[in-house]
C-alpha cells in the first residue's frame, strides 16, 4: 500500500512526525534547566545514559507493538494479551495518560501563543514586569487563545496521518531547527556566554541525588514521548518496509540533539545577561523560567540592540517554543482520536470532534486552577501543600505514570507477546540483528523493568506519602 493516507509516506516522514512529537517544551526549557540545576555535565551523562540504556529499547518496543498490531494502545494491548482484562486495563491507562497530559500541556501551549502575540504587539516591557504572568493566566483572554490553539490542532488532525500530521511536521520541523540554531548561534556570540557553557559542561557529581536520577528518567521519558501511547500509535502508521530500528535511532538522536542545543541557547543566555547567576537558584519550574525570567532576559538586551530587535528575538523564541509545543500537542491528541475511531467505528472526524471537546473541557478546568476557581486551585493536598488540578496532573502523569507505563510495556512484551515476536517485527526488512536489537532483547527482560519498578515505588513514596 504505497499510497495509504493513513500511513507515513516514508521513513523520513515518520522521523519528522515523531520528532515533532518528541521535541517540545521539555527539550527547549525543561532539559537545560534540569541540567543546570542538577550537576551540569554529570546530569548530561546520566540523561544520555538513560536515553540509550532504557529509552531506546522502549521506543523499539512501542513502535514494534504498534506496527505489528496496526493498532493504538488499547487495541494493541488487547490483541497481544488476547483480551485479558488486566492487560486491557493497562492499555486503557496508556489512553488516559495522553489525555491527561494533553489537558495540562494545552494550557502551556496557550500561554506560549499568548506571549508570542503580546511580544509581537510590542508589549515585551510589560511581560517583563513581575506581576504580569499571574494576571495573564487568570485573564479571560486565555480562552480566546485556547480557542485558537484548538482550531490549529483540529486543522492538522483533520487532515489525517499523511496529509495532516506528516505534512505539518515537514513544514514546521525544519523551521524549528533553523530558529533554534539561529538563536543558539546568536546567544553564543554574547559576552560572558562562555560562563554558561562552562556551567553546562562541567560535571558536578556531588549534585547527583536520588531525586536527580528520578528527574532525569522522567525527563527522558517525557522528552521522547514514551509511555504515552504515542509511539505505539505512530508505529501503527509505519510501513512494513521501513526500517524501524534506524527510525528509532534517528528519533532518539534528533530529540536528544535538540535538547543539547537548547542547552547551548538557554544557559549562555542566562549567564550573558546575569553573569552572577547561581543556577541552583533558578526557578524550579520551567514555567516560571519561560514566562517570568525570559522576558527579563530579552528586556536586558534592549540597551544594546534596541526595543524592536530585542522584541524580534523574543518573538523568535516564543514562536520556536510554540511550534515545538503545538506539534507535540497534535501527536498526543492523535492517540485518543485513533483509539476512539477504532473502538467505536466512528469516522475520524467524529472521533476527533469528541476528543477535542473532552480535551477542551479538561483544559478549561486546568486553566482555571490558578486561583480563579477555588476547588480546582486546591484540588488535592499532599506533601504538605495544596495542589491545583494542574499540579496534580503534572505530578501524577508526568512524574509518576510515564515510567510505570514503560514498565507495563516491558511486561507485556516479555510475558504476553514474547521477545522473539518483537525481534521479528523489529528486524522486518533489516537484515541481521545489530547491537541495539541484541541489547533490547536482553535488557527488556532484565534490568529495565527492575529499574522502572524501583523508580515507580520510590517516586510514589516520595511524592505522595511524605
Ligand atoms: N516530548 C514533549 C516535550 O518534550 C512532551 C510531549 C509530547 C508533550 C507529546 C505532549 C505530547 O515537551
Amino acid at each position: 500500500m504505497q499510497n495509504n493516507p493513513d500511513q507515513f509516506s516514508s521513513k523520513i516522514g515518520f522521523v519528522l512526525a515523531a520528532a515533532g512529537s518528541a521535541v517540545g517544551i521539555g527539550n527547549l526549557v525543561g532539559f537545560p534547566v534540569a541540567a543546570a540545576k542538577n550537576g551540569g555535565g554529570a546530569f548530561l551523562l546520566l540523561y544520555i545514559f538513560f536515553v540509550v540504556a532504557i529509552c531506546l529499547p522502549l521506543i523499539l518496543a512501542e513502535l514494534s507493538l504498534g506496527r505489528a498490531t496496526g493498532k493504538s494502545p488499547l487495541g494493541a494491548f488487547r490483541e497481544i494479551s488476547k483480551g485479558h482484562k488486566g492487560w486491557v486495563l493497562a492499555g486503557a491507562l496508556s489512553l488516559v495518560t495522553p489525555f491527561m497530559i494533553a489537558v495540562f500541556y494545552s494550557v502551556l501551549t496557550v500561554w506560549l501563543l499568548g506571549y508570542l502575540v503580546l511580544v509581537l504587539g510590542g508589549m515585551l516591557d510589560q511581560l517583563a514586569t513581575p506581576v504580569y504572568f499571574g494576571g495573564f493566566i487568570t485573564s479571560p483572554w486565555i480562552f480566546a487563545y485556547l480557542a485558537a490553539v484548538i482550531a490549529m490542532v483540529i486543522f492538522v488532525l483533520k487532515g489525517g496521518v499523511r496529509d495532516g500530521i506528516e505534512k505539518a511536521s515537514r513544514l514546521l520541523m525544519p523551521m524549528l531547527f533553523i530558529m533554534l540554531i539561529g538563536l543558539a548561534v546568536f546567544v553564543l556570540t554574547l559576552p560572558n556566554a562562555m560562563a554558561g557553557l562552562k556551567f553546562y559542561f562541567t560535571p558536578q557529581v556531588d549534585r547527583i541525588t536520588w531525586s536527580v536520577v528520578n528527574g532525569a528518567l522522567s525527563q527522558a521519558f517525557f522528552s521522547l514521548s514514551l509511555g504515552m501511547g504515542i509511539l505505539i500509535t505512530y508505529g501503527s502508521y509505519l510501513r512494513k518496509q521501513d526500517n524501524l530500528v534506524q527510525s528509532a535511532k534517528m528519533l532518539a538522536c534528533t530529540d536528544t540533539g535538540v535538547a543539547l542545543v537548547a542547552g547551548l541557547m538557554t544557559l549562555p543566555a542566562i549567564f550573558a545577561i546575569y553573569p552572577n547567576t547561581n543556577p541552583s537558584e533558578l526557578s524550579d519550574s520551567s514555567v516560571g523560567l519561560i514566562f517570568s525570567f525570559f522576558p527579563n532576559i530579552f528586556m536586558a538586551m534592549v540597551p544594546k540592540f534596541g526595543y524592536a530587535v530585542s522584541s524580534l528575538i523574543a518573538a523568535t523564541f516564543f514562536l520556536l517554543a510554540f511550534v515545538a509545543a503545538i506539534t507535540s500537542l497534535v501527536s498526543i491528541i492523535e492517540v485518543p482520536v485513533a483509539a476512539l475511531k477504532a473502538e467505536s467505528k466512528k469516522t475520524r472526524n467524529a472521533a476527533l470532534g469528541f476528543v477535542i471537546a473532552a480535551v477542551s473541557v479538561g483544559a478549561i478546568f486546568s486553566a482555571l486552577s490558578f486561583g480563579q476557581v477555588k476547588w480546582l486551585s486546591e484540588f488535592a493536598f499532599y506533601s504538605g501543600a495544596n495542589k491545583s488540578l494542574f499540579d496534580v496532573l503534572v505530578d501524577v502523569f508526568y512524574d509518576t505514570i510515564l515510567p510505570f507505563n514503560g514498565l507495563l510495556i516491558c511486561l507485556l512484551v516479555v510475558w504476553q507477546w514474547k521477545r522473539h515476536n518483537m525481534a521479528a517485527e523489529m528486524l522486518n526488512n533489516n537484515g541481521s540483528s545489530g547491537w541495539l536489537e541484541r541489547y533490547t532483547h536482553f535488557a527488556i527482560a532484565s534490568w529495565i523493568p527492575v529499574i522502572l519498578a524501583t523508580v515507580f515505588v520510590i517516586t510514589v513514596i516520595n511524592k505522595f506519602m511524605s
Side-chain angles (χ1 to χ4, degrees):
M1 281 211 273
Q2 276 302 324
N3 276 315
N4 183 347
D6 292 333
Q7 287 186 329
F8 294 115
S9 68
S10 62
K11 194 172 78 189
I12 194 69
F14 162 78
V15 172
L16 283 173
S21 170
V23 172
I25 306 170
N27 303 58
L28 295 181
V29 194
F31 174 82
V33 175
K37 290 175 72 81
N38 299 325
F43 181 89
L44 243 126
L45 290 176
L46 187 67
Y47 181 85
I48 292 174
F49 172 74
F50 280 150
V51 168
V52 178
I54 295 189
C55 296
L56 248 178
L58 284 172
I59 295 179
L60 286 174
E62 285 205 17
L63 290 177
S64 324
L65 274 171
R67 188 166 73 178
T69 58
K71 300 207 162 79
S72 60
L74 186 58
F77 272 70
R78 185 189 292 122
E79 183 172 319
I80 296 287
S81 69
K82 307 202 178 52
H84 186 288
K85 274 216 185 73
W87 285 111
V88 174
L89 210 65
L93 184 61
S94 290
L95 216 58
V96 173
T97 307
F99 180 83
M100 293 301 179
I101 292 184
V103 164
F104 81 75
Y105 206 76
S106 54
V107 175
L108 294 175
T109 313
V110 162
W111 295 344
L112 286 171
L113 177 63
Y115 267 46
L116 171 63
V117 171
L118 292 168
V119 170
L120 288 173
M123 293 185 43
L124 178 62
D125 51 349
Q126 294 193 38
L127 301 188
T129 56
V131 290
Y132 196 88
F133 182 59
F136 173 73
I137 63 174
T138 49
S139 74
W141 281 105
I142 290 300
F143 301 106
Y145 291 118
L146 178 63
V149 165
I150 294 288
M152 289 182 223
V153 173
I154 296 177
F155 179 75
V156 175
L157 285 183
K158 183 171 70 44
V161 178
R162 177 170 307 180
D163 297 325
I165 299 175
E166 183 179 330
K167 206 165 160 190
S169 308
R170 279 181 185 272
L171 175 78
L172 293 173
M173 292 314 283
M175 210 170 113
L176 183 148
F177 297 139
I178 292 170
M179 284 191 285
L180 176 68
I181 292 173
L183 278 178
V185 169
F186 165 73
V187 166
L188 289 174
T189 59
L190 297 175
N192 215 28
M194 291 308 138
L197 280 192
K198 188 158 161 252
F199 203 90
Y200 189 31
F201 288 117
T202 311
Q204 293 176 287
V205 181
D206 53 318
R207 292 264 178 123
I208 303 290
T209 59
W210 168 259
S211 81
V212 171
V213 173
N214 176 17
L217 188 66
S218 309
Q219 170 71 28
F221 264 77
F222 187 69
S223 186
L224 290 162
S225 300
L226 271 176
M228 311 179 188
I230 293 177
L231 295 178
I232 301 183
T233 307
Y234 277 21
S236 73
Y237 304 150
L238 254 178
R239 299 180 310 172
K240 284 283 180 198
Q241 70 264 39
D242 285 329
N243 187 325
L244 192 147
V245 179
Q246 250 178 33
S247 308
K249 285 184 190 159
M250 283 163 79
L251 170 62
C253 285
T254 312
D255 187 64
T256 308
V258 169
L260 296 179
V261 176
L264 295 181
M265 164 181 90
T266 313
L267 291 173
I270 296 173
F271 276 84
I273 305 297
Y274 300 106
N276 299 322
T277 306
N278 175 1
S280 57
E281 284 163 12
L282 285 177
S283 154
D284 232 345
S285 71
S286 312
V287 171
L289 209 89
I290 308 183
F291 298 102
S292 304
F293 195 61
F294 280 14
N296 279 297
I297 293 194
F298 299 122
M299 266 315 277
M301 293 176 177
V302 171
K304 189 158 174 200
F305 299 104
Y307 192 74
V309 173
S310 303
S311 297
L312 199 70
I313 298 166
T316 313
F317 172 77
F318 283 110
L319 180 62
L320 167 69
F322 176 68
V323 167
I326 195 109
T327 48
S328 297
L329 196 58
V330 160
S331 74
I332 207 158
I333 294 181
E334 172 66 13
V335 180
V337 171
L340 185 63
K341 181 178 162 219
E343 296 294 319
S344 66
K345 309 267 179 302
K346 281 191 188 355
T347 61
R348 184 177 170 87
N349 280 347
L352 178 62
F354 185 83
V355 171
I356 286 285
V359 170
S360 306
V361 171
I364 291 174
F365 276 20
S366 73
L368 287 173
S369 74
F370 298 91
Q372 307 94 310
V373 176
K374 191 158 186 275
W375 70 272
L376 293 169
S377 312
E378 297 172 7
F379 192 73
F381 184 91
Y382 51 81
S383 301
N386 274 323
K387 302 276 183 171
S388 67
L389 175 63
F390 184 92
D391 293 337
V392 172
L393 291 177
V394 174
D395 282 346
V396 174
F397 288 96
Y398 165 81
D399 263 329
T400 317
I401 296 286
L402 291 185
F404 180 68
N405 282 341
L407 173 64
L408 293 176
I409 299 272
C410 291
L411 300 181
L412 181 76
V413 167
V414 176
W415 290 345
Q416 299 286 315
W417 199 20
K418 306 300 173 204
R419 284 177 292 163
H420 64 270
N421 288 318
M422 180 173 94
E425 184 62 45
M426 279 195 293
L427 275 187
N428 196 9
N429 190 44
N430 192 23
S432 63
S433 145
W435 66 269
L436 184 55
E437 293 95 312
R438 287 198 295 274
Y439 169 72
T440 300
H441 192 81
F442 157 75
I444 205 162
S446 52
W447 69 290
I448 297 183
V450 172
I451 293 200
L452 294 178
T454 314
V455 167
F456 175 68
V457 171
I458 299 185
T459 309
V460 169
I461 295 174
N462 279 351
K463 271 223 168 279
F464 303 102
M465 299 183 178
S466 57

